[in-house]
């Protein structure tokens, strides 16, 4: 069983979208028994708050199941041992993850670093553009699952 944690600033938009998009891909590939997925925040800003409504709306439009009870939780130092992959959405997340975990371990990566166009996931917080964020996350998750399969990790 490999354990993946997606991470963003608030854990109410980008990382929960990545969590449920990746769970959908994993389910469609019959890999549910091999891959465990969660998501976390680098801040306590939204702790205890649910997924941001526009993010839920976009997931529902794309027929992606999400857990309506999912609430924001911050990443903590002990999580370095718990997860095999700690995947940030943007460069700033990586800096904050490394600060929380007190290491620059190779299990810490940016989602679109698995793609052939490495970049940050579009941040919907100020733009309100959840379509672009969804497209970026889907692209990243497709490359990430291909990486895990091609390298016989799952
Ligand atoms: P997320 O979005 O990091 O994708 O969950 C944000 C959530 C909250 C804030 C910023 C971005 N905030 O400034 O509180």
């Amino acid at each position: 069983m490999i354990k993946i944690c997606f991470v963003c600033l608030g854990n109410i938009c980008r990382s929960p979208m990545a969590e449920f998009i990746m769970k959908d891909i994993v389910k469609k590939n019959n890999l549910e028994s091999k891959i465990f997925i969660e998501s976390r925040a680098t801040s306590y800003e939204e702790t205890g708050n649910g997924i941001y409504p526009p993010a839920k709306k976009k997931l529902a439009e794309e027929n992606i199941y999400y857990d309506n009870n999912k609430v924001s939780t911050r990443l903590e130092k002990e999580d370095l041992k718990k997860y095999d992959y700690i995947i940030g959405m943007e460069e700033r997340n990586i800096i904050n993850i490394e600060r929380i975990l007190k290491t620059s371990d190779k299990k810490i990566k940016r989602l679109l670093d698995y793609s052939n166009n490495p970049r940050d996931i579009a941040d919907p917080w100020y733009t309100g553009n959840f379509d672009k964020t969804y497209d970026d996350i889907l692209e990243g998750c497709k490359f990430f699952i291909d990486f895990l399969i091609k390298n016989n990790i799952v």
Side-chain angles (χ1 to χ4, degrees):
M1 180 76 118
I2 70 141
K3 295 183 177 176
I4 300 167
C5 185
F6 292 108
V7 181
C8 65
L9 177 63
N11 192 215
I12 59 168
C13 299
R14 293 162 294 178
S15 63
M17 288 176 80
E19 174 182 345
F20 293 108
I21 290 167
M22 191 68 177
K23 282 179 173 168
D24 186 72
I25 291 172
V26 163
K27 188 171 186 194
K28 285 170 179 158
N29 282 274
N30 290 316
L31 290 168
E32 281 171 302
S33 62
K34 295 193 173 173
I35 306 180
F36 173 82
I37 306 166
E38 289 184 332
S39 63
R40 296 276 188 272
T42 58
S43 79
Y44 292 110
E45 205 72 40
E46 302 287 346
T47 297
N49 292 340
I51 304 173
Y52 196 50
K56 291 202 278 194
K57 182 168 172 273
K58 179 63 184 173
L59 291 173
E61 277 169 17
E62 300 291 341
N63 291 313
I64 306 287
Y65 166 83
Y66 60 86
D67 178 357
N68 210 25
N69 296 316
K70 195 267 178 303
V71 292
S72 174
T73 315
R74 208 196 77 148
L75 185 75
E76 299 296 347
K77 189 168 187 319
E78 308 74 62
D79 290 323
L80 179 65
K81 291 194 291 284
K82 176 172 181 182
Y83 298 109
D84 302 296
Y85 293 89
I86 298 170
I87 307 293
M89 299 295 114
E90 61 181 16
E91 195 51 43
R92 194 167 53 134
N93 301 147
I94 303 298
I95 293 165
N96 288 325
I97 292 166
E98 291 178 346
R99 205 168 278 160
I100 293 165
L101 303 179
K102 297 184 170 41
T103 180
S104 54
D105 198 283
K106 61 178 171 14
K107 63 174 76 170
I108 305 164
K109 287 256 162 52
R110 196 172 54 159
L111 182 57
L112 282 167
D113 284 341
Y114 290 95
S115 78
N116 48 23
N117 179 15
R119 63 193 191 278
D120 288 350
I121 297 288
D123 184 352
W125 190 248
Y126 296 107
T127 63
N129 190 342
F130 284 80
D131 297 339
K132 177 88 178 78
T133 301
Y134 177 86
D135 291 346
D136 280 356
I137 293 172
L138 183 62
E139 178 183 338
C141 287
K142 282 180 175 169
F143 275 98
F144 187 31
I145 196 87
D146 284 351
F147 164 84
L148 295 172
I149 293 170
K150 279 182 190 147
N151 290 285
N152 296 314
I153 295 164
V154 295

